[in-house]
């Protein structure tokens, strides 16, 4: 989907790719390999995730990685 998106972007653009921590390394590798101009990595922290979730057998993941690409 990244290759399909590239021709539709303007010359001056900002792209934010949100992903689960489980996929962060794979997504970053794809971005770097396909020459996307990676500007920064941002941590999006979710608050109050415990409401309505079962955290009895594992730690809760309360953040997502956001990759900022652009010109």
């Amino acid at each position: 989907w990244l290759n399909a998106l590239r021709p539709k972007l303007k010359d001056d653009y900002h792209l934010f790719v949100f992903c689960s921590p489980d996929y962060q390394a794979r997504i970053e590798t794809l971005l770097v390999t396909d020459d996307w101009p990676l500007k920064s990595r941002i941590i999006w922290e979710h608050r109050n995730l415990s409401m309505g979730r079962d955290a009895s057998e594992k730690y809760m993941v309360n953040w997502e990685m956001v990759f900022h690409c652009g010109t």
Side-chain angles (χ1 to χ4, degrees), residues 1 4 16 23-24 26 28 30 34-35 38-39 50-51 55 59 68:
W1 63 268
F16 294 91
Y23 302 108
Q24 128 187 12
R26 292 182 214 166
E28 185 168 359
L30 287 172
D34 289 344
D35 294 323
L38 188 58
K39 299 292 184 187
S50 62
M51 295 181 64
Y59 290 110
H68 173 214

Side-chain angles (χ1 to χ4, degrees), residues 42-60:
I42 304 163
I43 301 294
W44 183 280
E45 180 186 6
H46 302 281
R47 297 183 184 177
N48 300 328
L49 279 180
S50 62
M51 295 181 64
R53 297 192 184 216
D54 180 20
S56 60
E57 296 182 19
K58 61 181 179 178
Y59 290 110
M60 301 263 320

Side-chain angles (χ1 to χ4, degrees), residues 18 21 24 40-46 62-67:
F18 289 70
Q24 128 187 12
S40 61
R41 293 160 196 85
I42 304 163
I43 301 294
W44 183 280
E45 180 186 6
H46 302 281
N62 68 337
W63 63 279
E64 286 182 76
M65 177 63 75
V66 183
F67 294 104

